[in-house]
Amino acid sequence: RARRGRARTARRAAAALGRAVAIGRGLALSGTLTRRLGRLRRAALRITREGPEAPSLRDMGRDEVGDLARALARMQEELRRQESARRSFVATASLELRTPLTMLQGTMELLEEDLGDGRLDLDDAQRQVATARRELRCLSVLAEELPHRSRLHAQVPTASDPSAHGWPGPPCAAG
């Protein structure tokens, strides 16, 4: 009987020790996971504040938290790519709009100069008006195509020419 009592006591002690070890390991694991998730949360908030160029978080874990960190890094890289494409699109659109505007400005200055001097050549004035109309049509085409072209800009090109950014080139040539 005494033997059974000692065995029962030993089993209870072993069970208590096992529970204590399990609780200790569980607390250590949950603390580690909580810290890693906290770093991910701070990284996501930093990206929100600073944009996609914020420093990336590296978590080399081979578990769900590591997978989440890698997904966040992929999302951040995609945001960088899209931001680069957006900037490229805006720069290209600005250039495409400036060309016909510059032509119109020059044409208007020449007409104004001719009118001011009183030496208006009717044929020359008609050519200048035709050029101005052509450039206005060009601006109109650009304005109509802008929404479509803006959807194309998300595909980041590798070439440096405007057509690689979803722009087929100037919609109308000057001249």
Side-chain angles (χ1 to χ4, degrees):
R1 250 184 178 197
R3 212 182 209 179
R4 269 195 244 165
R6 282 187 296 230
R8 188 176 301 143
T9 302
R11 281 194 303 269
R12 285 184 183 161
L17 180 62
R19 278 193 298 273
V21 168
I23 289 171
R25 293 186 92 191
L27 288 174
L29 178 61
S30 69
T32 299
L33 288 174
T34 301
R35 279 190 302 280
R36 289 172 64 205
L37 288 171
R39 283 194 300 267
L40 274 174
R41 179 182 175 278
R42 287 188 299 278
L45 291 173
R46 188 173 50 245
I47 292 167
T48 300
R49 263 191 330 272
E50 300 173 19
E53 297 305 320
S56 297
L57 175 71
R58 296 214 189 282
D59 186 319
M60 304 310 280
R62 296 195 181 281
D63 58 3
E64 289 82 0
V65 177
D67 290 345
L68 182 59
R70 286 183 289 282
L72 180 65
R74 282 191 302 273
M75 180 191 72
Q76 187 177 10
E77 186 55 40
E78 178 63 17
L79 287 171
R80 283 184 187 123
R81 186 189 71 74
Q82 288 179 6
E83 178 62 15
S84 173
R86 184 194 66 78
R87 286 181 181 160
S88 174
F89 173 78
V90 168
T92 302
S94 176
L95 178 65
E96 292 291 325
L97 290 170
R98 260 193 309 255
T99 301
L101 285 171
T102 301
M103 290 292 294
L104 275 172
Q105 183 179 1
T107 300
M108 298 308 294
E109 287 172 3
L110 288 173
L111 276 172
E112 189 175 56
E113 191 177 289
D114 288 350
L115 285 172
D117 290 352
R119 57 180 173 84
L120 183 64
D121 176 357
L122 191 56
D123 289 336
D124 184 49
Q126 287 174 339
R127 279 193 301 276
Q128 289 180 28
V129 168
T131 298
R133 281 196 178 118
R134 190 171 45 252
E135 294 306 321
L136 282 171
R137 279 193 302 275
C138 182
L139 283 171
S140 188
V141 167
L142 281 171
E144 288 175 16
E145 290 180 355
L146 200 57
H148 173 69
R149 291 177 176 193
S150 70
R151 286 189 291 275
L152 295 175
H153 88 277
Q155 301 170 2
V156 176
T158 54
S160 61
D161 67 309
S163 64
H165 300 281
W167 291 86
C172 46

